[in-house]
Amino acid sequence: MKSSLVATRVFFVPFISLLFFGIVISKSPAPAVAQSVVPDDVKHDTPGQVIKHGQSVHIDVDLALVNVTVTDPYDRLVTGLEPDNFRIFEDNIEQELVNFSSEDVPISIGVILDFSGSMANKLGKAKEAALQFFKTANPQDEFFLVGFNERARLLSPFTNNVEDLQSRMLSASAKGKTALLDAIYLGLTQMRGAANGKRALLIISDGGDNNSRYNEKDIRRLVREAGTQLYSVGIFDAFEYRSRTPEELSGPSLLSEVTELTGGRAFTVENINELPDIAAKIGAELRNQYILGYRPSNKSHDARWRKIKVKLRAPKGLPPLSVYAKTGYYAPSL
């Protein structure tokens, strides 16, 4: 049985039943920069409400929803945490956690695949990685596919048909320059038609941008507004062997910056044979996130950027844990 949660602001996320079987740690990819962890002796005054099996909750006030990933020191996913283990702050003011879920919910996902000329000897494994990622899908998920070289193109609009995505992807060849920023822009624009409240983009590329109309400032703004998590797999040569063009040298930092804004993560691959496994692990991470909901104490609809920070009060006996969540959102304007 499914249940749903409707929010009039920020975005909608469908919730399903919530069951805990204790804390479970599973394997996950390499870590990115984590947010801080709260010591065990910090008091949590505002425990969240667990959404029960079959419960439908209708919210008629503003609600902010935050996807959170938790990993251990070996970067394995940590599941089974409870609402009291989390604290959430907006502009340094602690917020009351009113909704909580750790269920796998339907996701709208866009895959952005680099078909530029420099991908010629990597494209086969990159396609294999995308296919591996599609295999993590649930029946209610939907996908679209964007390919890019000197320009970005929508190869497939939203579909549940993975076989169709596969055929469209396999026919593409590597050539031309790299319009990475245009591809991200196209992906985020396409995401506006998503059917599901939980949304993510997976970017698979081997370098920085050298042919886009949009610039980094444009993309940062759009990423902040979009309510979509970005994950990236960067296929980079070792630094000493990398092309010395400014664009390619800045490729890893560009992908890290845009993904960190959204609570996603950037992974770097030097051995292309690792690509399929990493793509599958990203899929698993999206399936094992916590969703925290709070009503912002700041009721102003001023369209300003509000900083978010999630902190963790880990159960005793666990090693230090890392927390990943989006860094903020724009308040509504009306």
Side-chain angles (χ1 to χ4, degrees):
M1 179 183 298
K2 293 188 299 179
S3 60
S4 62
L5 183 150
V6 179
T8 57
R9 304 285 176 183
V10 186
F11 59 87
F12 162 88
V13 174
F15 286 92
I16 314 178
S17 60
L18 177 64
L19 296 174
F20 280 118
F21 296 92
I23 297 169
V24 180
I25 298 177
S26 59
K27 195 173 180 181
S28 178
V33 178
Q35 297 189 33
S36 58
V37 176
V38 178
D40 284 342
D41 59 353
V42 176
K43 185 179 179 182
H44 185 190
D45 295 323
T46 55
Q49 171 191 353
V50 175
I51 299 171
K52 298 178 181 178
H53 182 76
Q55 178 182 4
S56 294
V57 182
H58 297 277
I59 307 298
D60 58 0
V61 295
D62 294 354
L63 183 73
L65 297 174
V66 183
N67 298 325
V68 179
T69 300
V70 181
T71 62
D72 73 357
Y74 298 98
D75 205 48
R76 297 173 299 188
L77 292 171
V78 177
T79 61
L81 296 175
E82 300 189 12
D84 285 348
N85 297 125
F86 294 91
R87 300 174 71 194
I88 191 163
F89 296 79
E90 181 177 295
D91 290 336
N92 295 320
I93 299 173
E94 185 167 6
Q95 305 295 307
E96 181 178 8
L97 184 61
V98 296
N99 291 108
F100 176 90
S101 174
S102 61
E103 283 295 326
D104 179 5
V105 300
I107 311 177
S108 297
I109 302 172
V111 174
I112 299 178
L113 191 55
D114 188 345
F115 293 116
S116 63
S118 60
M119 287 284 291
N121 63 341
K122 310 165 189 172
L123 190 54
K125 281 294 180 183
K127 291 178 179 180
E128 185 180 333
L131 292 176
Q132 195 66 36
F133 183 73
F134 291 144
K135 289 179 181 178
T136 67
N138 287 345
Q140 292 177 295
D141 292 343
E142 59 176 2
F143 294 92
F144 68 82
L145 179 64
V146 168
F148 69 97
N149 44 27
E150 67 272 0
R151 66 186 183 91
R153 299 179 300 281
L154 180 64
L155 301 182
S156 173
F158 275 117
T159 180
N160 303 105
N161 189 337
V162 173
E163 289 76 16
D164 180 59
L165 289 170
Q166 179 178 349
S167 63
R168 292 173 183 267
M169 181 174 58
L170 293 180
S171 63
S173 58
K175 60 182 179 180
K177 294 185 177 181
T178 308
L180 173 60
L181 296 177
D182 285 358
I184 296 173
Y185 186 95
L186 177 58
L188 291 173
T189 302
Q190 182 71 11
M191 196 62 78
R192 293 171 182 168
N196 299 315
K198 187 171 182 178
R199 304 170 181 184
L201 290 182
L202 172 62
I203 304 162
I204 303 176
S205 177
D206 76 336
D209 191 289
N210 58 23
N211 204 56
S212 283
R213 294 176 299 161
Y214 294 98
N215 58 40
E216 292 185 27
K217 183 178 180 181
D218 297 329
I219 299 305
R220 288 191 195 98
R221 173 76 190 195
L222 188 60
V223 164
R224 286 180 166 187
E225 293 174 342
T228 299
Q229 280 190 285
L230 272 65
Y231 283 82
S232 69
V233 180
I235 314 166
F236 304 115
D237 294 327
F239 188 84
E240 60 269 24
Y241 299 113
R242 230 174 263 166
S243 167
R244 294 300 174 177
T245 64
E247 296 85 5
E248 290 184 320
L249 286 173
S250 66
S253 60
L254 170 62
L255 291 176
S256 294
E257 182 178 352
V258 295
T259 54
E260 186 180 345
L261 279 172
T262 68
R265 300 207 272 168
F267 301 94
T268 299
V269 176
E270 294 183 6
N271 181 353
I272 61 173
N273 293 318
E274 298 173 357
L275 279 172
D277 285 344
I278 289 178
K281 290 173 184 177
I282 292 173
E285 182 165 315
L286 286 168
R287 306 289 170 195
N288 289 278
Q289 292 180 322
Y290 302 91
I291 304 174
L292 312 182
Y294 70 95
R295 300 184 186 100
S297 57
N298 182 353
K299 305 301 182 184
S300 300
H301 292 177
D302 53 14
R304 293 192 175 186
W305 178 254
R306 297 181 183 176
K307 294 180 180 179
I308 290 176
K309 193 165 191 177
V310 177
K311 296 183 179 182
L312 188 67
R313 189 160 63 98
K316 291 182 179 179
L318 286 184
L321 304 179
S322 298
V323 184
Y324 304 89
K326 66 182 180 180
T327 59
Y329 72 100
Y330 283 105
S333 57
L334 297 175

